[in-house]
Amino acid sequence: MKSSTSLCLLLLSLVLGSCSSTKKTADNPLFGSVWELEYLSGPRIAFSGLYPNRKPLIRFDQEKSHVVGNNSCNGYSADFTLDGKQISFGEPGPTTMMFCGQGEGFFVNTMKKINAYHIDADGKLELLMDEVPMMRFKPKEDASATDQR
């Protein structure tokens, strides 16, 4: 009887624990969306000039601590480290090698400077450098759009 009670308590704690970890992911919108860049600080070229055909996308994989997406032209992937609202990105992995203008360089170089993030009241993701918004993303309507061309 004692072992069956212990077994029931163990199973109950596993079920409750798995529900709370699912809730933790659901509570953090960083992991539920594909994000499309709508603002980039720094370049003197108009945003629409940097990204005339396709805007950069990013998707965070919480389990693997990995991001994938495209930088408007080429696909990329990188590891990330998250500690509360502090975030940093590793070096981007192998990408395709098309040249599509200056937007890609601005995107990659800005990502290297990011050290925090914030989701604003409108549900937009801001990637920050020392509390200064450097990049702003909106949730992408078509979440399947993370191809790595």
Side-chain angles (χ1 to χ4, degrees), residues 19-126:
C19 290
S20 66
S21 67
T22 302
K23 185 177 185 320
K24 183 179 176 184
T25 300
D27 286 346
N28 189 340
L30 183 66
F31 301 111
S33 299
V34 173
W35 299 95
E36 180 179 57
L37 187 68
E38 67 174 16
Y39 168 79
L40 178 67
S41 178
R44 297 186 188 273
I45 301 169
F47 185 81
S48 60
L50 286 173
Y51 308 110
N53 301 318
R54 188 166 81 167
K55 296 179 182 116
L57 300 174
I58 190 169
R59 182 178 57 82
F60 292 83
D61 183 330
Q62 183 178 21
E63 251 182 55
K64 297 178 182 177
S65 295
H66 200 74
V67 292
V68 296
N70 73 64
N71 49 32
S72 82
C73 180
N74 294 301
Y76 73 91
S77 65
D79 292 329
F80 72 90
T81 304
L82 189 63
D83 182 14
K85 296 292 183 181
Q86 303 298 310
I87 192 167
S88 62
F89 296 92
E91 285 294 317
T95 66
T96 52
M97 301 300 286
M98 295 188 305
F99 177 74
C100 301
Q102 298 176 2
E104 179 177 28
F106 281 117
F107 181 82
V108 171
N109 289 331
T110 303
M111 289 290 285
K112 292 177 184 178
K113 299 174 186 176
I114 299 302
N115 57 23
Y117 81 95
H118 169 72
I119 308 269
D120 70 14
D122 295 327
K124 295 183 178 184
L125 168 64
E126 293 181 333

